[in-house]
Amino acid sequence: MSNWNHRHILDLAAFSIADFDSVIELAHRFRSIPKTGARRLPALQGRLVATLFFEPSTRTRSSFELAAKSLSADVQSFTPATSSLSKGETPVDTALTYVAMGADVLVIRHNSSSIPQRIANALDQTNSNTRVLNGGDGLHSHPSQGLLDLYTLASHFNPQKPSSKELNGKKIVIVGDILHSRVARSNIWSLTACGADVILCGPPSLLPDTFKAFVDEPPPGQKKDPVKKRGDIKILYSLEEALPEADAVMALRLQKERMSQNLLTDLDQYHLDYGLTHHQLKLCGRHVPVLHPGPVNRGIELSGDLLDDKSICLVDKQVQNGIPIRMALLYLMTKMKSALD
Ligand code: CP
């Protein structure tokens, strides 16, 4: 296991290959541990995990809460609609309120990209020992989703001993609304770090060609890339070109709530051009798995038949893997030696 040095987890751009393997290895060990009852692990006994979801979630919030409980942490959730946000309290002050109540970890989701970083900065200025885990912020990042997708793919290619090596040289097609997707951005960092080539596919209005250079420079605030050689990024605008190359395909949700302009006018045409069906997958020429981070617009990104076909579609596995991955993240963050210890 690497020397874990991520005080907060805000994105995957700063992860080394050893970091990815630490998370995968630990999640794989946690996968078989009972989630309820007397046999669950006492690793986080006495710790408090607060889930501050300012934006809706089903999978991420529930699986972080289940992961925390599986490690015997106490969990405090927060409901924006009935909170003091309506009285003008800011998200940062809301977070600091939970810190004052003793939270060891804050899991933050917000529709603005800067909020988890701003909360982490506020904590660091006060020498607080509380950690921030980004549960999805705006268009920026969804690190735990990127990690559970990586683990799901590595486990698909090698069920007994999944690791980053399984992705080396693979070609992963990500199809859909790349422009608005924090999941795509996190997956691009993790997959290219592990040596996979990422093929982005979608309509030009949802796939700017600037994505080709997405990993060329370290992101703001990071001096250098922790990965020596990344996989390539290719942009293709048709499934007919993309699918024959694929070792796996990940479809993304059309984020209608984030589309301020008329970037897409015809959902039926979108499904015909970019929706995945059993028929379209014949273009792969062999059996390839299909992933989707959820929630799925059934019949748009994936046909209903394909979504329900568990021999191809790994959506349920992704949801299941979300719990051990989030257990691993909570464990690594809370066991990391703090500057105050
Ligand atoms: N994949 C994902 O983030 O789903 P939720 O919005 O349900 O958490």
Side-chain angles (χ1 to χ4, degrees):
M1 194 167 293
S2 72
N3 289 324
W4 187 260
N5 63 2
H6 299 282
R7 177 172 166 67
H8 308 292
I9 298 178
L10 301 172
D11 60 47
L12 298 179
F15 270 44
S16 65
I17 292 175
D19 293 330
F20 288 113
D21 277 326
S22 289
V23 177
I24 291 174
E25 188 197 319
L26 199 50
H28 201 59
R29 279 159 47 190
F30 282 152
R31 192 165 67 161
S32 53
I33 285 172
K35 306 284 184 293
T36 54
R39 288 176 59 228
R40 60 186 174 187
L41 280 182
L44 270 63
Q45 214 157 41
R47 305 284 194 152
L48 178 60
V49 175
T51 51
L52 309 186
F53 278 57
F54 298 89
E55 187 192 84
S57 164
T58 296
R59 280 145 281 268
T60 311
R61 175 171 164 171
S62 294
S63 63
F64 263 118
E65 293 180 355
L66 286 166
K69 288 177 194 168
S70 301
L71 295 173
S72 305
D74 291 322
V75 175
Q76 182 61 50
S77 59
F78 154 83
T79 312
T82 54
S83 76
S84 289
L85 285 175
S86 60
K87 302 174 192 164
E89 192 165 52
T90 66
V92 175
D93 284 335
T94 301
L96 294 177
T97 302
Y98 281 87
V99 174
M101 287 192 260
D104 295 287
V105 180
L106 303 174
V107 184
I108 310 285
R109 170 171 290 191
H110 201 285
N111 63 10
S112 167
S113 296
S114 61
I115 296 295
Q117 179 76 63
R118 279 169 51 196
I119 293 171
N121 292 348
L123 292 175
D124 291 347
Q125 276 164 21
T126 60
N127 280 336
S128 165
N129 202 16
T130 304
R131 320 296 202 204
V132 174
L133 223 162
N134 182 358
D137 63 330
L139 310 186
H140 169 229
S141 180
H142 194 346
S144 63
Q145 182 70 46
L147 290 164
L148 76 88
D149 292 339
L150 185 66
Y151 178 50
T152 303
L153 284 166
S155 301
H156 175 82
F157 294 125
N158 186 344
Q160 302 309 323
K161 208 169 180 323
S163 80
S164 64
K165 289 189 184 67
E166 301 304 325
L167 274 301
N168 195 23
K170 296 282 194 306
K171 295 193 187 302
I172 312 297
V173 171
I174 304 180
V175 57
D177 182 358
I178 312 286
L179 175 65
H180 297 104
S181 179
R182 56 196 176 208
V183 175
R185 287 171 174 84
S186 287
N187 270 292
I188 291 172
W189 283 115
S190 57
L191 293 170
T192 58
C194 298
D197 294 331
V198 175
I199 299 165
L200 301 174
C201 181
S205 61
L206 298 177
L207 178 48
D209 59 9
T210 47
F211 269 92
K212 180 90 185 72
F214 188 74
V215 297
D216 285 1
E217 297 291 333
Q222 196 173 302
K223 288 196 185 73
K224 73 189 242 298
D225 192 334
V227 175
K228 273 201 196 109
K229 180 158 171 36
R230 292 183 176 272
D232 292 332
I233 299 174
K234 185 149 106 178
I235 292 183
L236 295 173
Y237 294 110
S238 81
L239 279 179
E240 284 68 24
E241 285 179 284
L243 288 183
E245 299 199 33
D247 292 297
V249 189
M250 181 184 300
L252 298 174
R253 184 172 70 88
L254 281 180
Q255 301 196 30
K256 287 172 267 179
E257 74 278 16
R258 296 193 212 273
M259 290 188 194
S260 49
Q261 301 130 327
N262 286 331
L263 294 174
L264 205 61
T265 49
D266 186 341
L267 290 182
D268 291 337
Q269 191 60 46
Y270 178 86
H271 180 65
L272 287 174
D273 292 342
Y274 297 102
L276 296 178
T277 62
H278 284 99
H279 180 72
Q280 281 284 36
L281 287 178
K282 286 186 184 150
L283 288 166
C284 300
R286 61 205 158 116
H287 179 97
V288 301
V290 170
L291 294 85
H292 190 301
V296 178
N297 291 307
R298 183 180 277 268
I300 298 179
E301 299 111 20
L302 304 179
S303 67
D305 286 353
L306 183 58
L307 179 57
D308 296 334
D309 183 347
K310 310 298 177 206
S311 72
I312 300 176
C313 185
L314 304 185
V315 167
D316 285 356
K317 285 215 164 65
Q318 289 172 273
V319 172
Q320 286 155 9
N321 289 338
I323 299 172
I325 281 289
R326 288 167 175 131
M327 288 169 76
L329 295 178
L330 292 171
Y331 182 91
L332 288 164
M333 290 175 86
T334 51
K335 295 295 169 192
M336 178 187 166
K337 207 166 163 50
S338 95
L340 304 178
D341 288 341

